[in-house]
Amino acid sequence: MKLISEELLDGVTHEAQESPRLRMNYNFHESLDAPIHRLLNALEPGTYLPPHRHRDKEETYVVLRGSLLAFFYDDLGNVTEKVNLSPSAGVYGLEIPSGTWHSIIALESGTVIFEIKSGPYRPLPLEDIAPWAPAPSDLESAAVYMKRMLEV
């Protein structure tokens, strides 16, 4: 049995806060080759997840604590939808259809999501990372981009 507890959420949150990327996964699946990936993803404000898509799988997020904004885009990078996921507001999660450009921004320290998607893990090909958004390595541009997204 694997228990999702406050202690586990606190532990993965602490690891995210200590990480230069300001996020940390806790995997429930046994290996990256597992057919279904189930994980906690602790996200701190300022972490940058570049807009991307998964052409071969759906992705489900359930917010366990904290809050975030989920963005959906067209192929040119225009925001088509923005959703605030927050258990305190009664909006807990969403399923992202395959092929959909998306990104998320953590709004609160201590935000943790439960994420489910098909495996096995394969790095995203370059064509599935948005060419119209900053690269993850460009931290300054990423910060400007996230600030602009918060104003959308």
Side-chain angles (χ1 to χ4, degrees):
M1 176 180 73
K2 297 178 181 179
L3 190 63
I4 299 173
S5 65
E6 195 73 26
E7 182 179 8
L8 178 57
L9 298 186
D10 288 346
V12 74
T13 292
H14 177 73
E15 290 181 40
Q17 292 168 338
E18 297 294 316
S19 168
R21 294 174 43 191
L22 296 174
R23 68 180 184 270
M24 185 60 61
N25 289 356
Y26 177 92
N27 295 342
F28 291 97
H29 49 281
E30 297 294 324
S31 78
L32 295 178
D33 290 326
I36 300 173
H37 287 197
R38 303 158 331 277
L39 59 132
L40 299 178
N41 198 342
L43 309 155
E44 289 296 304
T47 190
Y48 177 58
L49 291 122
H52 64 283
R53 64 184 174 188
H54 305 278
R55 287 183 286 168
D56 60 344
K57 62 184 84 180
E58 296 80 21
E59 203 168 9
T60 300
Y61 299 154
V62 177
V63 179
L64 300 177
R65 72 174 181 195
S67 64
L68 60 83
L69 290 173
F71 296 89
F72 299 90
Y73 309 87
D74 64 19
D75 288 336
L76 299 176
N78 301 303
V79 174
T80 58
E81 193 169 358
K82 177 172 89 170
V83 179
N84 186 343
L85 300 179
S86 173
S88 65
V91 183
Y92 300 96
L94 55 82
E95 182 174 85
I96 302 163
S98 63
T100 304
W101 292 104
H102 62 282
S103 66
I104 56 177
I105 295 177
L107 298 176
E108 293 179 47
S109 183
T111 295
V112 180
I113 64 174
F114 184 71
E115 186 175 331
I116 305 165
K117 59 186 164 191
S118 299
Y121 171 77
R122 299 286 181 258
L124 285 172
L126 287 177
E127 61 268 17
D128 289 338
I129 300 171
W132 33 262
S137 59
D138 187 350
L139 299 180
E140 187 175 317
S141 294
V144 169
Y145 179 82
M146 287 190 298
K147 184 178 181 187
R148 192 177 89 233
M149 298 287 29
L150 289 172
E151 297 168 356
V152 169

